[in-house]
Amino acid sequence: MLKLYGYVISNYYNMVEHALLTKGVAFDREKVLPGGDAAYLDKSPLGKIPSIETEHGFLSETSVILDYIEAHYPQPPLAPADRWGQFKMKELMKITELYIELQARRLLPALMGGIQLDQATLDDVATIMGKGYGALARLGQFTPYLMGEQVTMADIVLRYSLVVPKLCASLVKIDAHAIVPGLAAWETRMDGLEVSRSIDARMKEEMPKFMAQRAQQGGA
């Protein structure tokens, strides 16, 4: 049986779990915290979560894992049926990752570690994220999902990529809903999915435990 390594506090882990649950794939969860022990490097060469164990071996990197899931568990599909649509979906996923999620992560040291970021960094993040949201507005269909009537990997990736920007919203002045008119309704629809509610409930339950453990480690 496929095994998923990671922890529900990771938005990248949740992307993979959301895809597996949507497809009804049987899998075991193996809890691994970020920066796991050296033995985990045999499964994920950079020690990143998530990773999966398949009948063929181990895979890491979320985008690669999602490609594997779609290829090996095609039903129900989480990608457009036509090749061009599949490439456009991946374009959306890459823009979401590079220009929204990863930019917001530059703000985490200020949010989590109390580190003062210079104004130039804040302005740069805001500018790049603004461009990312602009691209999302131009490429996303929101009818009602990003690629049309069907939930795809692009929807899953965007949903969990917005976690960090929302956490850091007080640090940069970006109104994503004003830039992307269909975003608010799309978020409500995605939040209402049974899989989304299940993952959100687990995250809500586990986050206080993780933060307490983190604080304990920091004080040791």
Side-chain angles (χ1 to χ4, degrees):
M1 181 182 294
L2 186 147
K3 292 183 179 180
L4 173 60
Y5 293 82
Y7 193 30
V8 72
I9 52 86
S10 162
N11 56 342
Y12 285 102
Y13 174 93
N14 289 334
M15 293 174 193
V16 174
E17 179 162 312
H18 192 121
L20 291 171
L21 291 174
T22 299
K23 288 178 173 291
V25 177
F27 67 98
D28 289 330
R29 298 182 180 94
E30 297 288 341
K31 183 176 177 180
V32 175
L33 293 175
D37 61 32
Y40 182 62
L41 297 178
D42 292 333
K43 302 174 179 64
S44 177
L46 291 172
K48 295 166 63 176
I49 62 173
S51 65
I52 60 171
E53 181 178 355
T54 77
E55 60 182 315
H56 309 287
F58 296 97
L59 274 180
S60 60
E61 297 298 337
T62 301
S63 61
V64 177
I65 295 172
L66 293 177
D67 280 347
Y68 176 89
I69 291 170
E70 187 63 24
H72 286 76
Y73 307 99
Q75 297 300 325
L78 284 173
D82 64 293
R83 292 291 289 169
W84 178 247
Q86 292 165 18
F87 284 119
K88 294 300 289 184
M89 178 189 74
K90 291 186 177 185
E91 180 185 23
L92 263 172
M93 292 165 67
K94 183 58 68 175
I95 287 171
T96 297
E97 176 189 5
L98 295 181
Y99 303 105
I100 298 176
E101 206 275 346
L102 287 180
Q103 295 306 313
R105 281 186 177 272
R106 295 169 62 188
L107 306 174
L108 285 179
L111 186 71
M112 307 294 287
I115 297 173
Q116 185 71 33
L117 296 177
D118 60 82
Q119 191 60 45
T121 297
L122 296 175
D123 291 345
D124 189 54
V125 170
T127 297
I128 296 174
M129 287 182 67
K131 291 179 179 178
Y133 283 123
L136 178 63
R138 286 187 286 274
L139 292 174
Q141 298 177 29
F142 298 100
T143 55
Y145 300 106
L146 289 178
M147 303 300 298
E149 297 181 357
Q150 159 192 350
V151 173
T152 68
M153 293 291 187
D155 295 286
I156 294 172
V157 167
L158 178 60
R159 181 175 196 265
Y160 297 102
S161 290
L162 291 177
V163 171
V164 177
K166 289 177 182 178
L167 287 174
C168 300
S170 62
L171 299 176
V172 291
K173 306 304 180 184
I174 297 178
D175 187 348
H177 291 160
I179 300 172
V180 190
L183 186 60
W186 172 89
E187 287 181 290
T188 299
R189 183 175 292 272
M190 288 296 296
D191 290 347
L193 297 177
E194 182 178 352
V195 171
S196 299
R197 295 198 305 269
S198 172
I199 291 174
D200 289 351
R202 289 185 56 233
M203 183 187 296
K204 184 177 181 179
E205 178 183 354
E206 292 295 329
M207 185 60 75
K209 303 175 187 177
F210 172 74
M211 295 304 294
Q213 183 177 352
R214 187 172 181 270
Q216 185 178 26
Q217 291 172 342

